[in-house]
Amino acid sequence: MKSTALDSSFFYLLSICLLLIIVLLMVFRRKHGDRKAGRFLLGYFVSYLYLIGITYFFVYGYPAPFIHSLRTGHFAALLMPVFAFFYIRQCLYPGQWKWKHAWHLLPVGFFMLDFAPFFVLSSTEKLNIFKAMDAVEYRIGLSQGWLVPTFGHIAIRTALMLGYWLAQFRLLTLARSESYHPLRLQYPFTWRWLHIFLATQAFIFLIPLAGALLKNSQLEIVIFSVAAAGTMAIQCFYLLLHPEILYTQPFEKDENWKSENLLIEPDSGKMPQADAPTSIEIPPVKSAEIQFSDDDVIKIEASIQRIMKSQKPYLKQRYTLHEFSVDTQTAPHKLSAFINTRYEQNFNDFLNKYRIALVIEKLHAGENARKTLEAVANDCGFKSRVTFIRAFKKEHGITPGEYVNKMK
């Protein structure tokens, strides 16, 4: 066994289970979201799963069946920052993969070249080498190459992670400087997730760097493992709490999206009415804000209310801003900005307001006597119990169960 006294097999198994759940969710449901961004995120988590999974088998004494995969976990570690970078780039600035991007795989090629003599050894020779390793050599030494000295590949990997992290930070900073970036307007959950995704990645290289300063190899490898497992746990739990992130559609952005202007009228706090609004006086706005003419505001408002009254799109559990923009014949970024400022809500909260109003209507009609509260919520467009409770409490300050008790 290559474990230390501070290692815990439980945390390894928990990490593997969480990663497996996320990977399965993405494999079977990613068709509902942005396929390109989804593939990069899937590659990131599959690499993570392989790295932790193969490490578990070697650390806790099951090497023989997997002996030819010895040292292949480093491939996954080198690919993770690449997948993370292209995932964030695809979310913020969608584009096509080009062959020139293949240079990002050079570190993988270099590691393969360095370890080529080791990889062609027989299973018996690899097993003997593995048995002679201690925990430090197996986890962070990587001294079997013919070009790079002991600990050299870990240093290269840490520098690589730092470089890609800075590149992701630059992309996110650039997007934050755009007041009306489409992703922020159309998919606020994904926008917040990208910040969490970036912040947690920093743990993977910052915490091990701090551990290296302690000059205690045993403690360093434990800190290294804890940093990786902690990062993975935060990312997986957040995605499990907000699975809609995995189903994000690619946003639409036209050339003039930053210079368009949108008029805003403060929301009264009441449910939107089906009648078309009357003329609205245009208040002074900052040049950075989006504005519309009087006629455009009336047209968009009337179109929104007409669709909400006649088609009731909020009854669809996965109704997207893109679909709403097609129905209202309004560009997605304009529609999102209009909803955000006119109703002081994001698109999801806007739909949920209608759904909650319908749930309350059904509750007062006694429908919960024939169905569970969750079934009523599903009929009204909510896709999960957690989403329903969160939205209801946000709107009314109490849970649906408490509301029913008050009715009684």
Side-chain angles (χ1 to χ4, degrees):
M1 292 175 61
K2 306 302 177 188
S3 60
T4 67
L6 298 176
D7 270 321
S8 171
S9 61
F10 170 76
F11 288 113
Y12 272 94
L13 291 173
L14 178 62
S15 301
I16 291 170
C17 290
L18 284 172
L19 285 167
L20 191 58
I21 291 171
I22 294 298
V23 167
L24 290 175
L25 273 174
M26 297 193 69
V27 167
F28 291 106
R29 302 302 299 273
R30 65 188 176 92
K31 64 181 180 180
H32 295 288
D34 184 345
R35 289 177 179 270
K36 293 176 185 175
R39 289 191 187 104
F40 289 125
L41 189 61
L42 177 62
Y44 173 85
F45 280 111
V46 167
S47 299
Y48 222 143
L49 177 60
Y50 182 82
L51 176 61
I52 292 184
I54 207 69
T55 301
Y56 172 80
F57 286 114
F58 278 102
V59 166
Y60 289 98
Y62 311 102
F66 308 97
I67 195 62
H68 280 299
S69 63
L70 181 62
R71 294 309 192 200
T72 59
H74 195 71
F75 287 117
L78 292 173
L79 287 172
M80 281 170 55
V82 178
F83 282 129
F85 167 73
F86 277 100
Y87 168 67
I88 283 191
R89 198 183 78 160
Q90 186 64 31
C91 284
L92 297 175
Y93 301 100
Q96 297 291 330
W97 170 271
K98 299 178 181 178
W99 281 109
K100 67 179 183 181
H101 297 144
W103 71 265
H104 291 275
L105 302 178
L106 287 177
V108 177
F110 176 73
F111 177 72
M112 183 180 296
L113 176 65
D114 187 37
F115 267 71
F118 174 79
F119 288 139
V120 298
L121 294 177
S122 67
S123 58
T124 302
E125 291 173 308
K126 288 181 180 178
L127 190 58
N128 290 333
I129 292 174
F130 174 74
K131 289 178 179 178
M133 295 179 187
D134 59 12
V136 175
E137 164 58 23
Y138 170 69
R139 307 282 274 276
I140 59 177
L142 286 94
S143 62
Q144 289 73 46
W146 62 288
L147 292 173
V148 180
T150 303
F151 304 116
H153 281 293
I154 287 296
I156 293 172
R157 188 167 87 186
T158 302
L160 193 71
M161 289 178 175
L162 174 60
Y164 277 101
W165 188 89
L166 291 173
Q168 294 173 67
F169 179 80
R170 179 179 175 276
L171 285 173
L172 204 51
T173 302
L174 182 62
R176 285 176 61 86
S177 68
E178 301 173 2
S179 301
Y180 287 93
H181 190 283
L183 187 72
R184 180 191 291 188
L185 296 176
Q186 297 176 26
Y187 303 106
F189 277 121
T190 302
W191 178 258
R192 286 193 291 272
W193 153 249
L194 293 185
H195 289 75
I196 293 172
F197 184 64
L198 180 66
T200 50
Q201 285 180 68
F203 298 158
I204 301 178
F205 60 84
L206 287 179
I207 295 179
L209 280 176
L213 298 177
L214 300 175
K215 297 182 178 179
N216 184 326
S217 298
Q218 294 285 330
L219 185 58
E220 183 181 350
I221 62 175
V222 172
I223 292 175
F224 196 88
S225 300
V226 169
T231 297
M232 178 279 311
I234 294 172
Q235 293 174 353
C236 288
F237 275 120
Y238 192 83
L239 287 177
L240 289 174
L241 289 174
H242 301 286
E244 60 269 26
I245 292 169
L246 302 177
Y247 312 138
T248 299
Q249 300 288 335
F251 64 78
E252 293 190 357
K253 180 168 92 170
D254 60 43
E255 295 179 354
N256 300 316
W257 73 275
K258 287 195 291 186
S259 61
E260 297 278 2
N261 292 322
L262 171 67
L263 159 72
I264 317 279
E265 180 196 29
D267 185 18
S268 63
K270 300 178 181 179
M271 273 292 295
Q273 300 299 314
D275 300 330
T278 57
S279 179
I280 303 173
E281 181 180 354
I282 302 179
V285 294
K286 298 177 182 179
S287 59
E289 293 180 347
I290 300 178
Q291 303 176 37
F292 268 153
S293 67
D294 238 355
D295 291 340
D296 286 337
V297 171
I298 294 173
K299 180 180 177 181
I300 293 177
E301 178 74 10
S303 181
I304 288 175
Q305 301 307 330
R306 175 178 55 80
I307 296 299
M308 298 303 285
K309 181 179 180 180
S310 62
Q311 298 185 18
K312 295 182 172 57
Y314 49 88
L315 296 179
K316 301 177 183 178
Q317 292 187 347
R318 299 200 182 278
Y319 189 69
T320 65
L321 180 65
H322 177 72
E323 293 175 287
F324 197 32
S325 72
V326 173
D327 291 339
T328 58
Q329 298 182 347
T330 307
H333 71 273
K334 298 177 185 178
L335 187 59
S336 180
F338 185 87
I339 292 172
N340 281 333
T341 323
R342 170 133 172 77
Y343 302 111
E344 297 182 350
Q345 294 176 314
N346 61 41
F347 175 67
N348 289 329
D349 289 342
F350 175 71
L351 289 184
N352 287 340
K353 194 168 186 176
Y354 280 89
R355 291 165 176 158
I356 291 169
L358 184 57
V359 168
I360 291 176
E361 181 183 328
K362 288 179 178 291
L363 292 178
H364 284 282
E367 191 159 336
N368 59 315
R370 300 185 299 274
K371 298 181 178 180
T372 65
L373 192 56
E374 185 175 354
V376 174
N378 288 339
D379 291 343
C380 296
F382 285 103
K383 60 187 175 183
S384 71
R385 179 174 177 271
V386 173
T387 304
F388 168 52
I389 294 174
R390 186 191 299 127
F392 196 99
K393 191 169 184 179
K394 184 176 182 180
E395 181 72 18
H396 291 283
I398 58 175
T399 65
E402 291 171 336
Y403 186 89
V404 171
N405 290 334
K406 282 190 174 184
M407 285 175 52
K408 295 178 180 179

